[in-house]
């Protein structure tokens, strides 16, 4: 019986704790989760989203705050409309805050050295046609733990809604599903247009640059020099030199094996690396700055695109066709 | 638990006889069961505690070791039951 009651508490603690005490404990757990996750480039930018994204700590708090508020308001309004009982906002907010506790697992798993961003892994695989066992283990461990956290959260959120709003079954299940979907959509739209838009455009897709100035202004020289150095190091197959100015997410996602695979593929496709041009081109995408370094190989040429964040660290590398 | 329904056909029982243990007097009749008597022992206990706590759900939650919304939901459940019993009359 004791085992059953402990299991019941893990799935539905809200029969014993709700209101302001649940809210305080829940908010503390959320704050710690965001802080730990952001250290490894993990953010919670939706109701049940977990992504790798190079956001600052304030941005990570903002996106999660927006998502949480959307969820609470949607659930509270659903309770007010469909419940015959008194629905207190503090009960809805408190129980839903506590329901987010499982996401701390996703934050903690980020500390494993081999944890990998799935998107970076796919991009590497598409480019290099290879994937290491370490990369696969890292990705799978993150994926499995995240799925567990999300499923556990949904179960807790449902029980939180059931207790705090007291809507009879089966109506409560349908109302819950609709409310959570609506809150996720609203949170996604707000986060995308207010906070994440620039990040999404820069990090997911290869976009054509906007108009480039004829000569780079003086303030961009440091990142131009860094980009040329990255290309030179790629040519010399010097990984330590190449990754010297990578940000933390790039260092995790772009390993020595990936660089070696990239060089192999370039050898096959373009032949021997002959030289790196000095006439770079510049562009911007939101808060990110792009530098295109012309590279000449035996059988062709390409532009090496380096994406820089505000700290002048490389947060993305792409091979682009020579213009 | 105080029997409220017929074990044979599940119809609502009525009180036929009440006895005085002091003098042996027996009162016969056909009396309707009080509505509160039809509730389960757990619900009756809840109502007693509710009265003793002057109708404060907050105090009830502390006494029962349950959260406020859980106590409120229990109260709503009892209210629904009483309303259904009243409709039967």
């Amino acid at each position: 019986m004791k085992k059953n009651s402990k299991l019941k508490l893990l799935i539905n603690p809200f029969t014993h704790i709700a209101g302001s005490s649940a809210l305080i404990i829940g908010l503390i757990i959320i704050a710690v989760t965001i802080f730990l996750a952001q250290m490894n480039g993990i953010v919670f930018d939706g109701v049940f989203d977990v992504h790798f994204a190079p956001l600052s700590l304030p941005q990570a708090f903002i996106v999660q705050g927006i998502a949480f508020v959307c969820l609470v308001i949607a659930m509270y309004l659903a309770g007010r409309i469909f419940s015959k009982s008194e629905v207190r906002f503090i009960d809805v907010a408190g129980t839903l805050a506590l329901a987010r506790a499982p996401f701390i697992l996703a934050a903690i798993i980020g500390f494993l050295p081999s944890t990998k961003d799935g998107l970076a892994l796919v991009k590497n695989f598409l480019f290099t046609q290879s994937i290491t066992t370490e990369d696969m283990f890292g990705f799978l461990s993150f994926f499995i733990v995240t799925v567990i956290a999300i499923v556990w959260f949904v179960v807790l959120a449902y029980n939180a809604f059931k207790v705090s709003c007291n809507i009879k079954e089966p109506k409560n299940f349908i109302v819950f599903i609709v409310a959570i979907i609506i809150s996720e959509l609203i949170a996604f739209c707000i986060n995308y247009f207010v906070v994440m838009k620039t990040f999404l455009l820069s990090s997911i897709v290869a976009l054509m640059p906007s108009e480039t100035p004829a000569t780079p202004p003086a303030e961009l020289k440091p990142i131009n020099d860094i980009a040329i150095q990255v290309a030179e190091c790629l040519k010399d197959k010097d990984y330590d030199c190449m990754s010297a100015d990578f940000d933390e997410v790039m260092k995790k996602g772009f390993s020595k094996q990936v660089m070696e695979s990239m060089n192999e593929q370039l050898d096959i496709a373009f032949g021997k690396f002959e030289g790196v041009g000095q006439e770079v081109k510049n562009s911007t995408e939101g808060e990110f700055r792009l530098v295109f370094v012309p590279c000449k190989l035996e059988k062709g040429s390409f532009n090496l695109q380096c994406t820089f964040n505000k700290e002048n660290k490389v947060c993305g590398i792409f091979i682009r066709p020579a213009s | 638990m105080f029997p409220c329904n017929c074990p044979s056909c599940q119809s609502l029982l009525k009180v036929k006889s009440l006895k005085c243990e002091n003098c042996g007097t027996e009162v016969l009749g056909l009396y309707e069961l009080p509505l509160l008597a039809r509730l389960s022992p757990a619900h009756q206990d809840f109502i007693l505690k509710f009265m003793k706590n002057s109708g404060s759900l907050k105090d009830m939650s502390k006494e029962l070791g349950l959260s406020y919304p859980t106590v409120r939901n229990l109260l709503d459940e009892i209210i629904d039951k009483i309303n259904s019993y009243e409709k039967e009359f």
Side-chain angles (χ1 to χ4, degrees):
Chain A
M1 288 297 285
K2 277 186 183 174
K3 212 173 173 183
N4 278 343
S5 58
K6 277 182 187 169
L7 183 67
K8 211 177 167 186
L9 269 179
L10 284 176
I11 295 169
N12 188 7
F14 311 112
T15 48
H16 295 90
I17 182 167
S20 51
S21 46
L23 183 63
I24 291 167
I25 296 169
L27 288 178
I28 291 170
I29 294 175
I30 288 172
V32 168
T33 302
I34 293 169
F35 181 74
L36 292 176
Q38 193 271 340
M39 288 165 74
N40 295 299
I42 299 169
V43 293
F44 306 100
D45 54 346
V47 169
F48 35 60
D49 296 47
V50 184
H51 293 125
F52 279 88
L55 295 185
S56 63
L57 191 59
Q59 282 179 331
F61 271 97
I62 287 169
V63 296
Q64 172 52 203
I66 287 169
F68 178 68
V69 167
C70 288
L71 178 67
V72 169
I73 290 175
M75 293 293 172
Y76 175 69
L77 289 175
R80 287 298 299 261
I81 292 167
F82 293 100
S83 176
K84 292 176 186 171
S85 302
E86 173 204 2
V87 177
R88 299 193 315 171
F89 187 83
I90 190 74
D91 287 330
V92 176
T95 51
L96 287 173
L98 205 49
R100 288 205 61 86
F103 282 110
I104 202 164
L105 299 175
I108 290 169
I109 198 71
F111 284 96
L112 273 185
S114 54
T115 302
K116 293 283 188 258
D117 172 13
L119 191 63
L121 207 68
V122 167
K123 282 194 287 188
N124 288 338
F125 178 71
L126 287 175
F127 183 76
T128 65
Q129 303 298 310
S130 70
I131 185 164
T132 65
T133 310
E134 194 197 354
D135 284 349
M136 185 52 79
F137 173 75
F139 168 67
L140 280 177
S141 55
F142 178 73
F143 178 75
I144 288 167
V145 170
T146 304
V147 167
I148 290 171
I150 291 172
V151 169
W152 194 356
F153 160 71
V154 172
V155 171
L156 283 173
Y158 171 66
N159 284 322
F161 179 70
K162 206 164 74 163
V163 169
S164 58
C165 295
N166 195 28
I167 301 172
K168 300 292 174 225
E169 287 172 354
K171 193 160 80 168
N172 64 357
F173 183 72
I174 298 164
V175 172
F176 171 76
I177 294 294
V178 172
I180 206 168
I181 290 172
I182 289 173
S183 62
E184 168 69 6
L185 288 172
I186 294 173
F188 174 79
C189 290
I190 296 174
N191 277 334
Y192 179 82
F193 288 112
V194 172
V195 179
M196 298 276 282
K197 181 181 179 183
T198 53
F199 159 68
L200 284 174
L201 286 175
S202 299
S203 73
I204 295 173
V205 182
L207 293 175
M208 295 304 293
S210 50
E211 285 184 21
T212 58
T215 52
E219 65 175 5
L220 291 177
K221 256 198 171 170
I223 62 169
N224 287 358
D225 292 343
I226 294 170
I228 290 169
Q229 183 187 306
V230 167
E232 295 277 3
C233 297
L234 177 66
K235 177 175 87 64
D236 297 334
K237 299 180 185 177
D238 185 343
Y239 173 73
D240 290 330
C241 159
M242 189 180 176
S243 62
D245 288 290
F246 282 5
D247 71 356
E248 290 309 311
V249 176
M250 270 295 284
K251 278 180 182 169
K252 267 193 170 181
F254 197 91
S255 61
K256 190 172 181 179
Q257 288 79 16
V258 169
M259 188 207 73
E260 285 168 356
S261 294
M262 186 191 278
N263 268 318
E264 274 174 32
Q265 295 299 318
L266 287 173
D267 279 343
I268 294 165
F270 296 101
K272 195 181 160 189
F273 214 128
E274 288 182 347
V276 174
Q278 302 297 306
E279 290 169 0
V280 300
K281 288 185 181 172
N282 298 93
S283 177
T284 56
E285 282 298 338
E287 63 179 45
F288 296 96
R289 291 158 295 158
L290 314 181
V291 181
F292 298 85
V293 182
C295 298
K296 176 109 176 54
L297 288 86
E298 193 182 344
K299 297 181 207 169
S301 53
F302 65 86
N303 284 329
L304 181 73
Q305 176 195 315
C306 294
T307 305
F308 289 87
N309 59 20
K310 284 180 185 170
E311 287 83 40
N312 280 14
K313 294 289 181 190
V314 178
C315 58
I317 288 182
F318 304 94
I319 303 292
R320 299 274 177 253
S323 47
Chain B
M1 182 178 161
F2 189 82
C4 301
N5 292 91
C6 172
S8 177
C9 67
Q10 301 305 314
S11 298
L12 193 61
L13 291 171
K14 291 189 180 179
V15 178
K16 184 185 173 184
S17 160
L18 293 155
K19 191 170 177 182
C20 174
E21 275 196 336
N22 188 44
C23 66
T25 305
E26 201 171 341
V27 179
L28 298 171
L30 206 62
Y31 306 103
E32 298 283 346
L33 269 176
L35 195 144
L36 289 174
R38 295 178 61 185
L39 295 170
S40 68
H43 284 168
Q44 289 179 25
D45 184 56
F46 182 94
I47 290 172
L48 282 172
K49 284 194 167 87
F50 187 67
M51 292 299 167
K52 286 179 183 175
N53 282 289
S54 306
S56 167
L57 287 178
K58 200 174 165 186
D59 294 341
M60 283 280 287
S61 71
K62 279 180 194 163
E63 186 175 331
L64 296 173
L66 298 172
S67 61
Y68 178 94
T70 303
V71 173
R72 187 210 55 223
N73 295 346
L74 281 170
L75 180 64
D76 287 341
E77 195 182 308
I78 294 170
I79 292 171
D80 285 342
K81 237 189 172 78
I82 291 172
N83 285 338
S84 70
Y85 290 158
E86 280 179 339
K87 277 180 188 164
E88 284 173 21
F89 285 118

